[in-house]
Amino acid sequence: MNKDELKGKVEKAKGYVKKQVGKATDDPDLEAEGTGQRVAGAVQENVGKARRKVGEAVKKVGDAIKE
């Protein structure tokens, strides 16, 4: 897991909490903000996963060239 994946997971968790608090307090603005934050966190997490997979692929190619 890289930094982007971790930050994305944290943002998703914070967004979930905001959304639930918004629902509990009947605050649609806070609920919408939480939903947006969850989506942004998911995007960041997916960017991190893609970056990690590209790095792994580059490493495999490098290892294959060394052999």
Side-chain angles (χ1 to χ4, degrees), residues 6-45:
L6 183 60
K7 284 183 180 180
K9 286 182 184 291
V10 169
E11 286 302 308
K12 280 176 33 180
K14 289 185 338 188
Y16 177 78
V17 170
K18 278 186 185 179
K19 183 176 179 179
Q20 295 307 314
V21 169
K23 280 184 179 180
T25 60
D26 197 29
D27 184 348
D29 292 335
L30 186 59
E31 192 175 340
E33 185 180 333
T35 299
Q37 193 169 9
R38 287 187 73 196
V39 170
V43 169
Q44 186 172 14
E45 183 179 4

